[in-house]
Each structure stands twice: as C-alpha cells, then as structure tokens.
Amino acid sequence: MTATSTPQPADIKFNPKKCSLDKDTNELTSNYTYENIVFDENNQFDTISTNYKFKVDLSKPKSLGILLVGLGGNNGSTLFSTVKCLQNNISFHNGKFNTTKEPLYGSMTQCSTIKLGVDAQGNDVFVPFKDILPMMDPSNFIVHGWDINNSNMAEAIERSQVLQYDLIQNLKPFVEKTRPMPSIYYPDFIALNQNDRVNNISNSTQDPQKWQDLQRIRNDIKTFKHENHLDQVIVLWTANTERCVEIIPGINDTSENIMAAIKNNHQEISPSNIFAIASILEGAPYINGSPQNTFVPGIIELAESRNVLIAGDDLKTGQTKLKSVMMQYLVDAGIKPVSIASYNHLGNNDGKNLSSHAQFRSKEISKASVIDDCIDSNKILYPDIELKEKDNHVDHCIVIKYVPAVGDSKVAMDEYYSELMLGGHNRISIHNVCEDSLLATPIIIDLLVMTEFFSRIKYTKVVDGIESTDFNEFYPILTFLSYWLKAPLTRSGFKPINSLNRQRLALENFLRLLIGLPANDELRFEERLV
Ligand code: NAI
Ligand code: DG6
C-alpha cells in the first residue's frame, strides 16, 4: 500500500510476522498482545497481558442499506442528497466555479489520514483512513427512511435550507420521487410545536397500538432489505430530540418487561424505543444520533441477547467536539477550568423543537457530560469531593435559544474561565458559526461506515498458545464510535471516555493492530537517541 493508493482487498499490505491472509475466505487474521497496567486496592500494580487473534473479512458488501428515522429533516435530507450527488456526479456552483465530487470535508473516514510510520529520513508517513482496510464507500449506500411529514425529498431539501440554491435545483430530478415511509408519532415525546409537521403516520394518536407499531417497523426493515437485495441494513435515529423516558422497574428495566410494556401500550414507551427494538429484532445495528435515553436497560439487554450492535447518544458536531478538545488541553496543561458557559442559538427545526423544556433537557444532559472524564483524570486540579465541594467541579452552564433568522447556521459562544498560578485567571472566548447539518452529515457517514466495518471483525482469545475456534463478535455497545457521539453509551460498569484525542487514538491503534502494526507512539527515537 502506498501513501496515496486506494487499495482493493488484494492490495492490502500487512505485517506478515503478525498477520495472515486466507485467500479462500478473504479474511485477514492478526495476532495482538494487549497489555495494560492494573492497580489493586493497595495501589500496587501489575502488568496484564492477553493474547488475541482478530479476523477481518476483507469483502465489503456491494451496497449497504441505510434507514434514517427523520429522513425528511435537515440531517436526513442532507445525507440523502449527499449520496445522490456522489452516485450521479451532480455538480453545483461553489462560489466562483462549478464543481462535482468535492471531498466530504468533515468526515474522518473520508478525509483524514493515519500515521503508519516513518520513511528512511525519519519523516512521518500517512495513509488515508479509508485505505487501511476495505471500508464502505458512501456512494454505495442505499438510503431510505421514515418521517412523520410526507414531503418528498425535493420539498424536504428546499425546506431545510441547508444546500445552495443551484445544487437543490440540480438534485431535484434525482430526489423528488422519494417520500419517507409513514412513521409513528406519540405526541408526548417531541415538542408540541412540531404538531403542524405531522401528516405521515401509521398509528392512531387516540388509540395507541404500540405492539402493532413495532411489527410494522420490523416489516418496513424486512421489505427494504428484500427489495434492495441487501445483506445488511443500519438504522439511525436523526429525528427530533425526544424527551427522556423514565426508567421504571417492571416496565423498561429488562428485555422481557419492555416487550410486555409495548403490548400494554405503556406511556413510557417512546417512538425511538420502538425503532431501536424493531432494528435489534431484525438484526440491524441501531445508532442513536439524538440525545434522548432510548437505550433503556431493557433495550441494552435485548441487544446483548441478540448480539446486535448499538451506539449512541447524540452526534458530536461543533461546540461539544471543541469542548472535549479544549477541556483536555487545559487540564493536561495543568490549568484549572472553573467555569464553562456555553451559549447556542440556531434557527432550524431542531432549534424549534429544543425550545421546549423537556426536549432541551435531553440535550442539556448530553452536552454537559462531555467534561466528566477530564475532571476525573486530575485529582490535583479537582480533589476528591470530601475536601471541598466547590474545588471538585466546573460550573458548566448550557443555554440554547431558537432564533429563526439564522436558519441552519448555528452560533455557538463559549467562555472558558480558568485559574492560573498565584491567583491569576485565564478567560478564553470562542465564537463559532457553523452550518449545523453540514457538520452532522459527514459524522453520520462515519458512523455508518465504521459500524459496517466493525460488523466484519471477529476475535478470539489465545490462552497458553491455544486459540478457541469460536470467534466472537464485539460486545454490542460499540464504544469505538464514541469519537462521533456526545454522550457515549457505555457498557455497564465502565465510565465513558469523552476526550477526543483518546477516542481517536483508540480507533487508530485498532486499525493498526488489524494489519499487524504496533500501537502508535511519538517516541521518535530516530531523532532523540544518538
Ligand atoms: P430536523 O428537525 O430538521 O429533522 C428531524 C426530522 O425528524 C423532521 O423531519 C421530523 O419531521 C422528523 N421526525 C420527528 N419525529 C419523528 C418520528 N417519530 N419518526 C420519524 N420522523 C420523525 O432536525 P435535524 O437538524 O435534522 O436534527 C435531527 C436530530 O439530530 C435532532 O435530535 C438533533 O438534536 C440531532 N443532532 C443534530 C445535529 C446537527 O448538527 N444538525 C448535531 C447533533 C445532533
Ligand atoms: C443546539 O445545541 C442544537 C443541537 O442539536 C446541536 O446543534 C447539536 O447537538 C450539536 O451540538 P454540538 O455541541 O456538538 O455542536
């Protein structure tokens, strides 16, 4: 593999000392020894080391089915349009010139690189992220989905006001024939101000039949898969933010209870609960791109028992991504942030929905959690709570306001106020204006590409030189996707990792080990030692 090539499966280069390729099955197997330092309760440590064998199926599917809940929204219609642009070479006027095939800026899989090593002169050598191993090309996505509004996709992109005028005109012939499938709407979960959008639903709001709703969504997934001859479908929620559901023992705490609660039309069963369960029962990975707590314990248990990949919550696009970087920078520099005030205003339909308190609260929770792991990492700056409560936390204030005039251009203003030595203070103010859905869409692409990629990987443990013939799939909560998610859903007993660099490092090192390379470090001994 060269630094610029786009390898086909046959071109994959790997370290033969660690990997082998089975040409019959087209699977690449790599050996990896995972080492970690484990401390006991007396603060004594030991090195643990576990041998694993990972197997990647190098044959990616010809097409990947994508079902979006919220297809007609800003993110949904922008993703749909992006794929149509790629598939049909649709050009558009970008300021001064006409262009086709602009790179998918903002997508880590499509536009970033990974360091593989150094050349003979000690210069770093990078390869495109997507070229390390075969990954889906977004032009091979087949996209459809549901929406509570029946506008066709030409009307949807016009309404969204995300894309430029001439691109919308050029896209129209390719998108106007698609209408979202009717969805399910339980009015209590999204803001009342969304009511006037509702004209494409299959349930009765007066006489709920949630069990039937579940069957119908399952059927939609099956039909889509069958009609498009697809091996795999991924379902992603990019519909309005819902209010959080209450976790109620006996209702949504186990998989058995939640199925019974659906049959009984329990009020705390949300539309996103129905979509997640339908996907899991159909074996389709489910990603929650919004902040609500769809993944109640009963749904996690169902995903575990069916071994279906799930990930969430809430796309990490602008302000929060920057916050996870800023916070890590400050804390790792030994500077002590004491307050972060984050203001947002936006004028799209997402902003309108979030102007309602219960839906705002879901977002507030997901936006707030992003600094927790940084605080936990440094007991010098943030000593244990018993010492003095005020020393232990950051005043973190989150405000979101709906300002229709700015449309999809979201404005984010953040002030980081920190303590310096000898009583000094440091105030950093950030003013960030971004086209919200043009940041979110490449992130959705990454989540889909990586979910499909991870579904082709299996592993087994090697104990005393003996490897089990049974290869396992990943634990269903796919925390490798945390890089793209604001409030990473995490396996019970583990804390989420929010720091962007740590999330990216995990992905890079995992891709490296699959081709037999050691974890990346920046020791640069070529330069530093004589
Ligand atoms: P949007 O309001 O433009 O689109 C949401 C769509 O969902 C609408 O077309 C609406 O009719 C539809 N919808 C509502 N309930 C539904 C249901 N039960 N079934 C099917 N469709 C339903 O919002 P946008 O901007 O596309 O954002 C979508 C979600 O992604 C929101 O929850 C938002 O908070 C989240 N998000 C958005 C980001 C962005 O940058 N745009 C970033 C991070 C998260
Ligand atoms: C206002 O905060 C609207 C939200 O939907 C955000 O646009 C979205 O959650 C992205 O947030 P962030 O913090 O990643 O920019």
Side-chain angles (χ1 to χ4, degrees), residues 325-346:
V325 173
M326 280 296 293
M327 191 61 188
Q328 192 175 9
Y329 142 58
L330 291 166
V331 169
D332 285 354
I335 295 172
K336 181 180 180 179
V338 289
S339 77
I340 306 175
S342 295
Y343 304 89
N344 265 211
H345 61 266
L346 71 170

Short mmCIF file of all heavy atoms in Angstrom, two decimals, residues 325-346:
data_model
loop_
_atom_site.label_atom_id
_atom_site.label_comp_id
_atom_site.label_asym_id
_atom_site.label_seq_id
_atom_site.Cartn_x
_atom_site.Cartn_y
_atom_site.Cartn_z
N VAL A 325 -11.93 18.94 23.23
CA VAL A 325 -10.52 19.22 22.94
C VAL A 325 -9.99 20.30 23.89
O VAL A 325 -8.90 20.17 24.48
CB VAL A 325 -10.36 19.70 21.48
CG1 VAL A 325 -8.93 20.15 21.20
CG2 VAL A 325 -10.76 18.59 20.52
N MET A 326 -10.75 21.38 24.07
CA MET A 326 -10.33 22.48 24.94
C MET A 326 -10.12 22.01 26.37
O MET A 326 -9.16 22.37 27.04
CB MET A 326 -11.41 23.58 24.95
CG MET A 326 -11.39 24.48 23.75
SD MET A 326 -9.88 25.44 23.66
CE MET A 326 -10.08 26.48 25.09
N MET A 327 -11.07 21.23 26.83
CA MET A 327 -11.02 20.77 28.21
C MET A 327 -9.78 19.90 28.43
O MET A 327 -9.06 20.04 29.41
CB MET A 327 -12.32 19.99 28.49
CG MET A 327 -12.57 19.66 29.89
SD MET A 327 -12.72 21.13 30.93
CE MET A 327 -12.78 20.30 32.51
N GLN A 328 -9.50 19.05 27.46
CA GLN A 328 -8.33 18.19 27.60
C GLN A 328 -7.04 19.01 27.54
O GLN A 328 -6.10 18.78 28.30
CB GLN A 328 -8.32 17.12 26.52
CG GLN A 328 -7.29 16.04 26.82
CD GLN A 328 -7.33 14.89 25.84
OE1 GLN A 328 -8.02 14.94 24.82
NE2 GLN A 328 -6.59 13.86 26.14
N TYR A 329 -7.04 20.00 26.66
CA TYR A 329 -5.86 20.88 26.56
C TYR A 329 -5.61 21.57 27.91
O TYR A 329 -4.49 21.55 28.43
CB TYR A 329 -6.05 21.89 25.42
CG TYR A 329 -5.51 23.27 25.71
CD1 TYR A 329 -4.16 23.47 26.04
CD2 TYR A 329 -6.34 24.39 25.67
CE1 TYR A 329 -3.67 24.74 26.34
CE2 TYR A 329 -5.86 25.65 25.97
CZ TYR A 329 -4.53 25.83 26.31
OH TYR A 329 -4.06 27.07 26.61
N LEU A 330 -6.67 22.16 28.48
CA LEU A 330 -6.49 22.94 29.71
C LEU A 330 -6.05 22.02 30.86
O LEU A 330 -5.06 22.29 31.55
CB LEU A 330 -7.78 23.68 30.07
CG LEU A 330 -8.15 24.82 29.12
CD1 LEU A 330 -9.59 25.27 29.32
CD2 LEU A 330 -7.20 26.01 29.30
N VAL A 331 -6.77 20.94 31.04
CA VAL A 331 -6.50 20.06 32.18
C VAL A 331 -5.13 19.39 32.02
O VAL A 331 -4.35 19.30 32.97
CB VAL A 331 -7.64 19.03 32.34
CG1 VAL A 331 -7.27 17.95 33.34
CG2 VAL A 331 -8.92 19.75 32.79
N ASP A 332 -4.79 18.95 30.79
CA ASP A 332 -3.48 18.31 30.59
C ASP A 332 -2.34 19.32 30.69
O ASP A 332 -1.19 18.94 30.90
CB ASP A 332 -3.42 17.57 29.25
CG ASP A 332 -4.21 16.28 29.30
OD1 ASP A 332 -4.68 15.91 30.39
OD2 ASP A 332 -4.36 15.61 28.25
N ALA A 333 -2.66 20.61 30.55
CA ALA A 333 -1.62 21.64 30.74
C ALA A 333 -1.50 22.04 32.20
O ALA A 333 -0.69 22.90 32.55
CB ALA A 333 -1.96 22.86 29.89
N GLY A 334 -2.33 21.45 33.05
CA GLY A 334 -2.28 21.77 34.47
C GLY A 334 -3.00 23.07 34.80
O GLY A 334 -2.84 23.62 35.90
N ILE A 335 -3.78 23.58 33.86
CA ILE A 335 -4.60 24.78 34.11
C ILE A 335 -5.95 24.29 34.61
O ILE A 335 -6.43 23.25 34.18
CB ILE A 335 -4.76 25.58 32.79
CG1 ILE A 335 -3.38 26.11 32.36
CG2 ILE A 335 -5.75 26.72 32.93
CD1 ILE A 335 -3.36 26.74 30.98
N LYS A 336 -6.56 25.05 35.53
CA LYS A 336 -7.79 24.55 36.14
C LYS A 336 -9.03 25.31 35.66
O LYS A 336 -9.35 26.39 36.18
CB LYS A 336 -7.69 24.66 37.68
CG LYS A 336 -8.94 24.14 38.35
CD LYS A 336 -8.85 24.23 39.86
CE LYS A 336 -10.13 23.70 40.48
NZ LYS A 336 -10.11 23.73 41.92
N PRO A 337 -9.77 24.74 34.68
CA PRO A 337 -11.04 25.39 34.31
C PRO A 337 -11.99 25.37 35.49
O PRO A 337 -12.14 24.34 36.16
CB PRO A 337 -11.58 24.52 33.18
CG PRO A 337 -10.41 23.74 32.69
CD PRO A 337 -9.51 23.56 33.87
N VAL A 338 -12.61 26.52 35.80
CA VAL A 338 -13.58 26.57 36.90
C VAL A 338 -14.98 26.87 36.40
O VAL A 338 -15.96 26.61 37.10
CB VAL A 338 -13.17 27.57 38.01
CG1 VAL A 338 -11.99 27.04 38.79
CG2 VAL A 338 -12.86 28.95 37.44
N SER A 339 -15.08 27.43 35.18
CA SER A 339 -16.43 27.56 34.62
C SER A 339 -16.38 27.49 33.10
O SER A 339 -15.40 27.91 32.47
CB SER A 339 -17.11 28.85 35.08
OG SER A 339 -16.61 29.95 34.36
N ILE A 340 -17.43 26.91 32.56
CA ILE A 340 -17.61 26.92 31.10
C ILE A 340 -19.04 27.38 30.87
O ILE A 340 -19.99 26.74 31.35
CB ILE A 340 -17.41 25.53 30.46
CG1 ILE A 340 -16.05 24.93 30.84
CG2 ILE A 340 -17.56 25.60 28.94
CD1 ILE A 340 -15.84 23.51 30.33
N ALA A 341 -19.18 28.49 30.17
CA ALA A 341 -20.53 28.96 29.84
C ALA A 341 -20.71 28.80 28.34
O ALA A 341 -19.95 29.36 27.55
CB ALA A 341 -20.68 30.42 30.25
N SER A 342 -21.69 27.99 27.94
CA SER A 342 -21.89 27.67 26.52
C SER A 342 -23.25 28.16 26.06
O SER A 342 -24.27 27.70 26.57
CB SER A 342 -21.86 26.16 26.31
OG SER A 342 -20.60 25.65 26.60
N TYR A 343 -23.23 29.09 25.12
CA TYR A 343 -24.50 29.58 24.56
C TYR A 343 -24.60 29.11 23.12
O TYR A 343 -23.61 29.05 22.42
CB TYR A 343 -24.52 31.12 24.56
CG TYR A 343 -24.30 31.72 25.92
CD1 TYR A 343 -23.02 32.01 26.36
CD2 TYR A 343 -25.37 31.98 26.76
CE1 TYR A 343 -22.80 32.54 27.61
CE2 TYR A 343 -25.15 32.52 28.02
CZ TYR A 343 -23.87 32.80 28.44
OH TYR A 343 -23.67 33.34 29.67
N ASN A 344 -25.82 28.83 22.71
CA ASN A 344 -26.10 28.43 21.32
C ASN A 344 -27.30 29.19 20.86
O ASN A 344 -28.26 29.30 21.63
CB ASN A 344 -26.65 27.02 21.30
CG ASN A 344 -25.63 25.95 21.06
OD1 ASN A 344 -26.00 24.95 20.48
ND2 ASN A 344 -24.42 26.15 21.50
N HIS A 345 -27.32 29.66 19.65
CA HIS A 345 -28.62 29.94 19.07
C HIS A 345 -28.64 29.42 17.65
O HIS A 345 -27.63 29.40 16.96
CB HIS A 345 -29.06 31.40 19.20
CG HIS A 345 -28.20 32.41 18.53
ND1 HIS A 345 -27.20 33.07 19.17
CD2 HIS A 345 -28.21 32.88 17.26
CE1 HIS A 345 -26.63 33.92 18.35
NE2 HIS A 345 -27.22 33.81 17.17
N LEU A 346 -29.80 28.93 17.27
CA LEU A 346 -29.95 28.36 15.94
C LEU A 346 -31.40 28.53 15.50
O LEU A 346 -32.29 28.72 16.33
CB LEU A 346 -29.50 26.90 15.89
CG LEU A 346 -30.33 25.81 16.57
CD1 LEU A 346 -29.79 24.45 16.15
CD2 LEU A 346 -30.30 25.92 18.08
#
